[in-house]
Amino acid sequence: MYKINENYQKLPGSYLFSTIAKKVSAYTQANPGKGIIRLGIGDVTLPLAPAIIAAMHKAVDEMADAATFRGYAPDLGYGFLRDAVASQDYQSRGCGISPDEIFVSDGAKSDSANIQEIFSQDNRIAVCDPVYPVYVDSNVMSGRTGAYDAASGTWSDVIYMPCTMENGFVPEFPKETPDIIYLCLPNNPTGTAITKGQLQGWVDYANKVGAVIIYDGAYEAYISEENVAHSIYECEGAKACAIELKSFSKNAGFTGVRLGYTVVPKELKCGGVSLHGMWARRHGTKFNGAPYIVQRAGEAAYSPEGKAQLKEQVAYYMRNASAIKSGLQEAGYTVFGGVNAPYLWLKTPGKMTSWEFFDYLLEQANVVGTPGSGFGPSGEGYFRLTAFGSYENTQKALERIKGL
């Protein structure tokens, strides 16, 4: 008789954003006349930039002509996109990343879960707390996290790095030595960024203890401060200890199109074994390549017109972030983030738990956010709002919250 992967049975409840969607759906059905404003999930709302749409139309036309039709994409990505990424995201910043160290995929979420397949099951992972749930959940599915303690909301074999108001939401080197370190900077959910010098400290630490860093740079386009690194490879020694994940979802609005990439430097080795070669083997075996049309759209994001248009979109969302932050502060809330990331991290009022504040906002203001406890135990008592709504809806949401 067949057997199932018992690790899935260890997962408590459903995925955070699935739970939120169900709660909002139930409330909407019971209150059909309410106008819900969604500032919870980090989904963009602006349409794709004109340069990207034009590139997609051109690629669609090519697919209609036998002379220019494309079938299966190269499993590691088309050269035109990998060249653009290497040149503009890395080499322009002094990072010696070559096109063949870039692996094109359908998004950073997939890669953040899939990348751990190339590591042994007995590796200890270290995560920031609070943290993007996929990092922990995917390792639970692989049997790497031990037993779950419902009272504390923690896993026995996971090393937690608390990010709290007391330490400025910046992770500190763990007391236990990890094998794999997950870092998301600028951070989801807290919106925190660290200086290039602080990031260099993590690279030095990883090289010292023999750990690998999984670096999620999905929000790099929102960095506004000059002393914040746009890539971990700006740090000396990073190519020997770090894998970087990048996404087109937030910087180019590809949440409904799906495109991302992972960088695995050839210098990154474990006992003489190349992680670059391992990821290439896994990628080639399990992934059929991102669609040609989508990769041409990604290439257009690096064109002069595309970059200018995307810069305007990022500015639009960060205008929302600034408005949310100042508006909530005027209303008496303690708010963090919103400077280098499109996320606002606020302290729940009084003694409200994160989920109590979620229900309160939904029912009294018809505004949807994300409970901080859904990102880990240190997120209890906090709440995340995103800046990805329209400016008009953002203003309406602020008015409603201020009126409570």
Side-chain angles (χ1 to χ4, degrees), residues 47-76:
L48 294 172
I52 290 171
I53 289 294
M56 294 182 78
H57 279 301
K58 183 175 184 296
V60 168
D61 289 340
E62 290 179 19
M63 298 296 276
D65 187 334
T68 52
F69 172 79
R70 307 289 183 114
Y72 286 122
D75 54 5
L76 307 185

Side-chain angles (χ1 to χ4, degrees), residues 112 125 127 131-140 182-184 216:
S112 68
I125 70 166
V127 297
V131 72
Y132 182 45
V134 173
Y135 306 153
V136 174
D137 287 359
S138 60
N139 277 283
V140 173
Y182 285 83
L183 293 178
C184 176
D216 187 345

Side-chain angles (χ1 to χ4, degrees), residues 342-363:
Y343 293 121
L344 290 303
W345 188 244
L346 60 128
K347 195 83 176 68
T348 58
K351 296 184 179 180
M352 277 192 183
T353 67
S354 297
W355 278 106
E356 286 173 346
F357 189 63
F358 172 89
D359 292 335
Y360 177 68
L361 274 192
L362 176 61
E363 295 167 7

Side-chain angles (χ1 to χ4, degrees), residues 59 83 103 148 173 175 180 196 257 282 287 311 327 338-339 379:
D83 288 344
F103 299 80
Y148 182 68
F173 300 138
K175 295 179 181 178
I180 302 171
K196 182 177 177 180
V257 179
R282 189 266 172 206
F287 186 62
K311 185 177 180 179
V339 176

Side-chain angles (χ1 to χ4, degrees), residues 17-36:
F17 295 104
S18 298
T19 301
I20 291 172
K22 291 175 183 177
K23 289 176 73 72
V24 174
S25 177
Y27 179 81
T28 302
Q29 290 180 11
N31 302 273
K34 303 292 185 180
I36 304 297

Side-chain angles (χ1 to χ4, degrees), residues 103-115 132 134-135 182 184 214-219 244-250 254 258-262 279:
F103 299 80
V104 177
S105 71
D106 59 357
K109 179 180 181 180
S110 302
D111 285 353
S112 68
N114 293 332
I115 194 69
Y132 182 45
V134 173
Y135 306 153
Y182 285 83
C184 176
I214 308 299
Y215 189 81
D216 187 345
Y219 304 97
E244 184 162 281
L245 315 176
K246 287 288 186 70
S247 169
F248 285 78
S249 288
K250 305 305 192 295
F254 278 33
R258 307 310 305 149
L259 188 67
Y261 64 84
T262 291
W279 183 240

Side-chain angles (χ1 to χ4, degrees), residues 143-157:
R144 196 175 282 118
T145 55
Y148 182 68
D149 178 41
S152 65
T154 60
W155 296 89
S156 61
D157 292 348

